Amino acid sequence: MSESKLSREDIIASVAELIAEQGLENLTMRNIANHVGCSVGTLPHYFDGKDDIVVAALNWSNERIFSRLGNMPLSDIRIDSLLPLIASAMPIDEHADIEWRVRLCLWDYAVTSSDMRETVNTINQTVIELIEGLIEQLQKNNEVQPELNTKITALTFYQLCMGGGFNMLHSPLAEREEKLQPLLHYIQSLKL
């Protein structure tokens, strides 16, 4: 792609692919420029530095996952319709695999970067609140047990997704749907 037609979104998608393939340890401005097909001097026109690019890649991953989850109005949410949405957010196909690889590389980076840790913690809290809202709506729709503590259930659900996604990345794609079953079973166990 010529540099004149290059967009911020093109760079972010290319950086996400690079992170998924090589990890953060190889994420240098020169490597990014080579992967994108531009000069190193072009990157500062789009980003304030490497950390800005890393945050953009994390947001890219999350936005793609959440766009699939946001396809259903909350008032229509049912356990049976939620299960395929949850499955679509997990790393069971090639696209979701890249998103999860990016996410986990960046979470690892956040362990040693206080700025990135704050970003990751904010994203995590937002996701947990979204899940809590889903559970509350499921309660209103008489789909799940009304006595569920929505905060604890949302945190449990989130931690199962994160742990399950991490474990799935260590298995061949063909085996991942089977590894998704415990998470789906947990969701089903909440049903009235």
Side-chain angles (χ1 to χ4, degrees), residues 125-139:
Q125 190 56 44
T126 301
V127 173
I128 292 167
E129 289 169 5
L130 177 109
I131 295 168
E132 187 175 356
L134 283 173
I135 294 166
E136 289 169 354
Q137 189 61 46
L138 287 168
Q139 286 175 322

Side-chain angles (χ1 to χ4, degrees), residues 152-165:
I152 291 172
T153 305
L155 184 57
T156 301
F157 180 85
Y158 179 72
Q159 289 175 347
L160 286 172
C161 286
M162 295 303 96

Side-chain angles (χ1 to χ4, degrees), residues 110 113-124:
S113 168
S114 59
D115 290 340
M116 184 59 71
R117 188 175 318 119
E118 187 175 320
T119 300
V120 167
N121 286 338
T122 299
I123 290 168
N124 289 346

Side-chain angles (χ1 to χ4, degrees), residues 12-152:
I12 294 168
S14 187
V15 166
E17 188 178 280
L18 184 63
I19 291 169
E21 291 171 3
Q22 299 180 16
L24 283 176
E25 59 275 1
N26 293 315
L27 193 67
T28 64
M29 295 302 261
R30 182 172 313 285
N31 203 1
I32 292 169
N34 288 338
H35 196 72
V36 171
C38 68
S39 68
V40 174
T42 299
L43 296 174
H45 295 286
Y46 297 93
F47 300 96
D48 292 332
K50 181 179 168 182
D51 279 353
D52 189 28
I53 295 172
V54 168
V55 169
L58 177 60
N59 288 332
W60 173 90
S61 171
N62 287 328
E63 287 166 10
R64 289 173 52 98
I65 291 169
F66 294 133
S67 71
R68 291 192 296 275
L69 290 176
N71 286 337
M72 179 179 295
L74 278 180
S75 59
D76 296 341
I77 201 81
R78 302 286 184 264
I79 289 282
D80 293 337
S81 58
L82 181 63
L83 296 175
L85 290 175
I86 297 304
S88 75
M90 299 301 286
I92 59 173
D93 65 34
E94 290 179 14
H95 297 292
D97 179 76
I98 290 172
E99 296 158 6
W100 273 82
R101 287 178 186 281
V102 168
R103 174 183 278 155
L104 290 178
C105 283
L106 299 178
W107 282 340
D108 181 52
Y109 179 59
V111 171
T112 58
S113 168
S114 59
D115 290 340
M116 184 59 71
R117 188 175 318 119
E118 187 175 320
T119 300
V120 167
N121 286 338
T122 299
I123 290 168
N124 289 346
Q125 190 56 44
T126 301
V127 173
I128 292 167
E129 289 169 5
L130 177 109
I131 295 168
E132 187 175 356
L134 283 173
I135 294 166
E136 289 169 354
Q137 189 61 46
L138 287 168
Q139 286 175 322
K140 287 178 187 173
N141 294 346
N142 295 316
E143 282 285 306
V144 297
Q145 304 156 21
E147 68 276 2
L148 284 177
N149 180 312
T150 58
K151 288 187 184 310
I152 291 172

